[in-house]
Amino acid sequence: MHPGSPDTAARLATWLAAHLERHRLTVADVARDLRVSPGQVRGWLAAAGLRAPTGPGEFDHLDTPVKLGAWLRARIADAGVSVRELAESTPDVSMSTVYNWLNGEHLPPPPAADEPDRLDLLLSNPVLGLGLQQRVQLDEIRRRLTGTSLHLDAAPEWDARSLPAANRAFTGRRPALRRLDRLLADYGRGAAVLAIVTGIGGVGKTALAVQWARSAQVRPTFPDGCLHLDLQGYSATSPVDPATARLRLLYQLGADPHRPPADPEAQAALYQRMLAGRRLLLVLDNARDEAQVRPLLPADPGCLTLVTSRARLSGLDVTSPGLTRLDLDALTEAEAAALLRELLGRLAAGPATDEEVRALADRCGRLPLALQIAAANYLTHHHPQREPLAAYTAELAADRLGELTIDPADPATAVTPTLDHSLRHLSAPAQRAYRLLGLHRAPDFAEAWAASVTAEPRDRTRAALSELVQANLLTLDQRGRYAFHDLLRDHAAALAARTDGEQERRAAVGRGLDHWRHSGFAATMVVEPSRDPITLDPAGPGAAPERFDDFDTAWQWIEDEIEGVVAASAQATETGFDPYVWQLVWICGNPLGQRGQWNRLVELGELALQAGLRTGDSEAVARAHRYLAHPAILTERLPEARTHLQTALELHRADGDARGRAAVLHSLSYIEERLGNYAAALAHSEEALAVDRERGFRGGQARALNEVGWLLAHLDRVDEALAPCLEAHAIFEELGDRGKAAHVADSLGYLRHRLGDHAGALADFGRAADEFRALDRPFELAGTLDRIGDVHLDATGPDAAAAVWQEALDLYTDLGHGNAEEVRAKLHGLDRPDPADRRDAC
């Protein structure tokens, strides 16, 4: 058989249709995997007389002419044609007529005589790729909307009349669907009777529940059908009370609506009796709380209940042991991009690159509701040929919540009211905490910081945070840290702007920044006790900074909070807290440099410089130049670093700031050393030592002594070098500065190697390497490993040296540092340059 024959195409199309059904795939899933449009997949199926698997009621959600028009508009866009092209290729249908239908106007009833049925002619156009059964269903929708249906009382094949129609654009969620599918096996063993799907508003809980309830796997399991009830827990109207909800379910079960039992207990008994013996799926959608759900749970194990809610409904874990819980998060990057392409259609999304589609999806927070609104806005108000997708994404970035709106009063078409409804049932303290915490940009945060922002005691803050977590407005990870979804943070900040006065908002921002400044200073001085301290003004009223008694707690605080401090540095520049910027950078600068994140140091240094120039604070400006010199030195941009340091030195001298002058001298010594000017470097270090001795700063003295010993060794005065290094090590040990003591141990290892004491060198280097590993300082560790390799080459042999150098090379490569080439040359047997220094640059 010829591979290109029609018979082969038909067989492939038949296999494709079965593949879609068997693996729970949509046309969009297959189209994405094959990198073609959904319309192309439908065309393959239609050419063989097949279509994508659909179920009865596929179009039941099109219950108004406007919804039918919106669906038709999306179908046309998906086909990749314009309205003009579609009208011109459809007999007896004009472009203006099609536009009327798209706007929900002048929907024609079925023709009474021999006149052409223009709507069916349009739906029959092969470009739209609709199968016969789909056209029949759409004709029945049209008849219902025009009052001409011949089957108003016809019952569907599966008794699920209250269940909404599946979303045509539903995409992804395969892990969640598989998780729900496993419920069926548990249900068959009598082990599953209740499942809860929770998540923030707009994340697609209802869409997932409906998609699964209408799947081919569910129907045979529940031959008695499906009941669905919207409990309106988070809608514009009041939540449905349990008694009313039970009555509505009774009517769905066939109870006489004219003769309901008057007594609530009798109603409850009738409800359970009518459920008894049935194999039925009950979908309780949009539940507010446990009290609303519990009276509706079937007692008969033949029924399975699926609940969706924005609240976690944790109380059901106590009263319904063994329940299955599914916490729905935002779509993955791939799922969100696929949904956007499906919603936009080939005409709009075709010219866009994958990166542009992903950027728009990210700007929407990858929430299905936000994606649908953004796609609808783009298709309605923009044109791909006049405004590319990237331009629309930029507009969205300027005002996400404002742009993610079609009808501001309709939660189904606007993000803001959807999220507003999530707050309706929260306590006043929880609502206030939500608003004020949203003013900050911290990627995650701890309870202690939240207490400062809200200016509340820890116990009250803990209660408010717990309430927000239960409402899925915050997430809580295993480390005990809280986080916002991006859109929720935007919503909280916008709500604060509408609710709280400017003074209250500024105070909340200031308290958060104060917490990071003062807590970060305290943690830094415990982790780096030999560091030159800075002077902070007192924290504002209500802020409660943390204090630290031991190294491990302080070090962990820095690990947990550094990203928050970085975000705070940028926020301080934008909210009028310029004097705070250089202080926040002081806290996070060394940890970022030790991890090799030098580009971020440049960004922070620029922020500090601009803030200092705005305030006219010479100390802030000088420190900002030092911050910018640090990454320039570490990445071998030495002339640039020298310029920054000379500017800083002039400012410090003008201010009479001996502390700043000594810090610059240390860095200038480093530059001269890297250039091989060891005598000039030694002069800078000795001057810094004199300044620090005069002002009695022992941490600076120890740093200078270590530099002096290191540089003497490079001037071949090794015998003189040991004493200053030993003195430096003793001071750092006394001060309890583990990191600086490790630096001196590294220097001692180098000196002992020069003196021929290989065992002593390996011991000192080993102590330094162990400490750098424990402190997670890859740059310093790589330098020490490089020097250990030198010792092994002289004492043990090339194999041992190669193993250590390879580890150093891997670290330098990951950091993107130029020292990688030096180590690579050693591995290739080339001449070895002088070992690279590893001292702090500022």
Side-chain angles (χ1 to χ4, degrees):
M1 181 175 62
H2 190 276
S5 68
D7 183 55
T8 300
R11 290 176 61 191
L12 287 172
T14 302
W15 174 87
L16 179 59
H19 180 72
L20 286 164
E21 181 70 23
R22 183 181 309 113
H23 295 286
R24 306 180 56 84
L25 299 174
T26 66
V27 167
D29 293 330
V30 172
R32 183 180 65 253
D33 293 339
L34 298 179
R35 302 186 70 83
V36 298
S37 70
Q40 180 68 62
V41 177
R42 294 192 184 96
W44 292 337
L45 297 171
L50 301 169
R51 64 183 181 84
T54 58
E58 179 185 2
F59 305 110
D60 284 356
H61 62 295
L62 305 180
D63 53 2
T64 68
V66 172
K67 290 183 180 179
L68 178 59
W71 175 88
L72 184 56
R73 182 189 298 275
R75 190 75 180 197
I76 294 171
D78 181 57
V81 298
S82 66
V83 173
R84 178 186 295 277
E85 291 169 337
L86 182 64
E88 288 176 350
S89 63
T90 305
D92 299 313
V93 178
S94 68
M95 187 169 65
S96 61
T97 298
V98 177
Y99 272 118
N100 284 335
W101 295 342
L102 296 181
N103 294 328
E105 301 172 358
H106 311 306
L107 186 65
D114 293 334
E115 63 188 54
D117 186 344
R118 292 179 295 163
L119 180 61
D120 186 61
L121 285 171
L122 184 75
L123 298 177
S124 301
N125 193 312
V127 172
L128 296 181
L130 293 169
L132 177 60
Q133 185 177 350
Q134 290 174 303
R135 286 166 43 211
V136 169
Q137 292 185 42
L138 287 167
D139 178 66
E140 176 59 24
I141 294 296
R142 183 260 301 267
R143 290 175 182 272
R144 292 179 187 174
L145 295 177
T146 57
T148 57
S149 175
L150 303 177
H151 307 285
L152 291 178
D153 297 324
E157 297 176 11
W158 190 54
D159 190 6
R161 281 167 287 185
S162 63
L163 188 66
N167 190 330
R168 180 188 69 85
F170 185 90
T171 302
R173 299 295 193 195
R174 295 187 194 179
L177 288 169
R178 287 195 294 268
R179 175 86 177 274
L180 290 173
D181 283 344
R182 289 198 296 271
L183 275 177
L184 301 179
D186 296 337
Y187 167 82
R189 297 191 297 269
V193 293
L194 176 61
I196 303 175
V197 179
T198 65
I200 65 175
V203 79
K205 301 179 294 295
T206 298
L208 174 69
V210 170
Q211 185 78 11
W212 181 70
R214 287 195 171 278
S215 67
Q217 287 85 346
V218 169
R219 295 185 184 187
T221 307
F222 303 103
D224 292 316
C226 173
L227 303 182
H228 172 274
L229 183 62
D230 183 358
L231 295 174
Q232 300 174 3
Y234 297 89
S235 60
T237 58
S238 299
V240 180
D241 65 86
T244 301
R246 189 166 50 212
L247 279 175
R248 292 179 182 177
L249 290 171
L250 277 171
Y251 299 152
Q252 289 189 42
L253 288 166
D256 186 351
H258 302 293
R259 300 177 59 186
D263 181 57
E265 292 187 7
Q267 292 175 9
L270 177 62
Y271 174 66
Q272 295 296 345
R273 188 163 63 249
M274 294 191 74
L275 289 174
R278 300 196 189 199
R279 295 181 61 192
L280 183 143
L281 175 65
L282 174 60
V283 180
L284 300 177
D285 198 13
N286 198 16
R288 171 187 170 180
D289 53 29
E290 297 90 337
Q292 192 184 29
V293 171
R294 284 193 186 103
L296 308 178
L297 297 178
D300 193 295
C303 299
L304 187 145
T305 304
L306 180 63
V307 181
T308 73
S309 179
R310 298 185 193 183
R312 290 188 55 79
L313 306 181
S314 299
L316 293 178
D317 290 293
V318 178
T319 56
S320 303
L323 67 83
T324 297
R325 182 177 291 281
L326 180 60
D327 297 323
L328 208 57
D329 203 349
L331 295 170
T332 66
E333 186 177 271
E335 289 173 339
L339 177 57
L340 259 184
R341 288 197 178 275
E342 175 75 10
L343 292 167
L344 292 169
R346 188 174 65 183
L347 185 64
T353 65
D354 289 343
E355 183 178 350
E356 290 171 340
V357 173
R358 285 195 299 269
L360 177 55
D362 288 341
R363 188 57 60 186
C364 294
R366 302 204 300 268
L367 286 185
L369 174 63
L371 293 167
Q372 293 178 44
I373 293 172
N377 272 338
Y378 183 65
L379 292 173
T380 303
H381 302 297
H382 308 267
H383 193 285
Q385 294 179 351
R386 293 193 299 270
E387 183 173 4
L389 204 62
Y392 175 63
T393 302
E395 290 182 21
L396 198 62
D399 181 16
R400 280 205 290 188
L401 295 178
E403 288 290 330
L404 292 175
T405 299
I406 296 177
D407 180 353
D410 181 8
T413 60
V415 170
T416 295
T418 296
L419 300 180
D420 284 346
H421 293 326
S422 297
L423 296 167
R424 292 175 56 198
H425 310 301
L426 296 181
S427 68
Q431 292 190 35
R432 177 177 177 271
Y434 175 75
R435 298 193 306 269
L436 298 186
L437 292 170
L439 295 171
H440 290 270
R441 295 181 184 174
D444 57 29
F445 56 89
E447 177 189 299
W449 176 82
S452 284
V453 172
T454 58
E456 293 286 351
R458 290 284 289 271
D459 56 343
R460 294 183 187 175
T461 302
R462 187 179 305 117
L465 294 175
S466 176
E467 198 173 341
L468 292 171
V469 169
Q470 290 301 316
N472 273 309
L473 294 170
L474 287 178
T475 61
L476 177 63
D477 65 17
Q478 294 180 344
R479 301 174 301 153
R481 299 187 64 79
Y482 301 86
F484 275 104
H485 182 280
D486 284 349
L487 278 178
L488 285 176
R489 181 186 288 107
D490 285 356
H491 174 256
L495 193 59
R498 301 198 307 264
T499 306
D500 304 293
E502 182 179 354
Q503 185 175 356
E504 169 64 5
R505 298 198 307 274
R506 181 172 175 78
V509 172
R511 289 192 297 267
L513 297 178
D514 277 339
H515 186 98
W516 274 314
R517 282 196 311 145
H518 286 267
S519 301
F521 173 79
T524 299
M525 295 313 298
V526 171
V527 172
E528 301 180 74
S530 66
R531 192 170 179 185
D532 226 344
I534 60 176
T535 303
L536 301 176
D537 11 338
E546 299 168 77
R547 296 292 177 262
F548 307 95
D549 297 325
D550 61 90
F551 178 93
D552 290 340
T553 305
W555 185 81
Q556 189 61 54
W557 188 94
I558 293 173
E559 288 288 300
D560 291 339
E561 302 291 348
I562 186 169
E563 293 301 329
V565 177
V566 171
S569 304
Q571 185 176 17
T573 66
E574 299 171 8
T575 52
F577 288 91
D578 283 335
Y580 289 12
V581 179
W582 74 265
Q583 299 167 357
L584 291 164
V585 178
W586 181 88
I587 294 166
C588 60
N590 273 5
L592 291 177
Q594 290 154 2
R595 299 173 187 181
Q597 298 181 24
W598 303 305
N599 288 335
R600 301 183 75 187
L601 285 181
V602 174
E603 296 172 2
L604 291 170
E606 290 290 351
L607 287 177
L609 179 58
Q610 295 305 316
L613 292 173
R614 282 193 296 270
T615 60
D617 183 347
S618 59
E619 181 183 6
V621 173
R623 284 185 178 270
H625 281 291
R626 285 160 51 190
Y627 297 154
L628 289 167
H630 188 183
I633 292 173
L634 292 172
T635 53
E636 300 297 322
R637 293 178 285 117
L638 301 181
E640 177 186 337
R642 189 192 297 276
T643 300
H644 283 299
L645 290 173
Q646 291 293 350
T647 302
L649 186 59
E650 291 172 7
L651 290 169
H652 287 315
R653 281 176 174 162
D655 290 342
D657 184 354
R659 173 175 55 184
R661 189 156 55 91
V664 172
L665 290 169
H666 288 299
S667 297
L668 288 172
S669 171
Y670 188 98
I671 290 178
E672 296 299 341
E673 178 201 336
R674 293 299 295 160
L675 293 171
N677 302 327
Y678 299 118
L682 180 60
H684 285 311
S685 294
E686 289 176 336
E687 184 179 354
L689 177 60
V691 172
D692 284 328
R693 277 180 172 160
E694 182 178 352
R695 66 192 188 97
F697 178 49
R698 300 191 71 218
Q701 294 173 39
R703 178 177 176 181
L705 286 166
N706 184 44
E707 293 169 359
V708 167
W710 176 265
L711 293 166
L712 286 172
H714 281 74
L715 290 167
D716 294 327
R717 295 160 61 184
V718 183
D719 292 338
E720 302 174 51
L722 198 58
C725 285
L726 289 172
E727 185 181 353
H729 192 269
I731 294 175
F732 285 135
E733 286 283 333
E734 179 186 342
L735 294 175
D737 195 319
R738 293 169 52 181
K740 293 293 193 301
H743 279 295
V744 182
D746 180 272
S747 297
L748 289 169
Y750 176 71
L751 296 179
R752 296 189 198 284
H753 183 204
R754 291 286 303 272
L755 292 168
D757 181 4
H758 296 150
L762 290 175
D764 286 329
F765 279 140
R767 284 193 293 274
D770 289 343
E771 197 67 87
F772 289 143
R773 288 186 201 277
L775 297 175
D776 190 23
R777 297 186 179 181
F779 180 62
E780 284 95 336
L781 174 60
T784 298
L785 291 172
D786 182 9
R787 287 179 279 281
I788 291 175
D790 293 339
V791 178
H792 278 305
L793 185 65
D794 292 340
T796 312
D799 291 342
V804 182
W805 279 337
Q806 185 60 55
E807 186 179 356
L809 176 61
D810 292 340
L811 289 170
Y812 278 136
T813 301
D814 290 342
L815 293 168
H817 195 274
N819 284 357
E821 293 304 318
E822 298 178 12
V823 179
R824 187 175 289 110
K826 292 182 180 183
L827 283 168
H828 287 130
L830 301 177
D831 292 334
R832 299 195 302 278
D834 283 339
D837 191 12
R838 68 280 167 260
R839 292 178 289 147
D840 288 341
C842 72

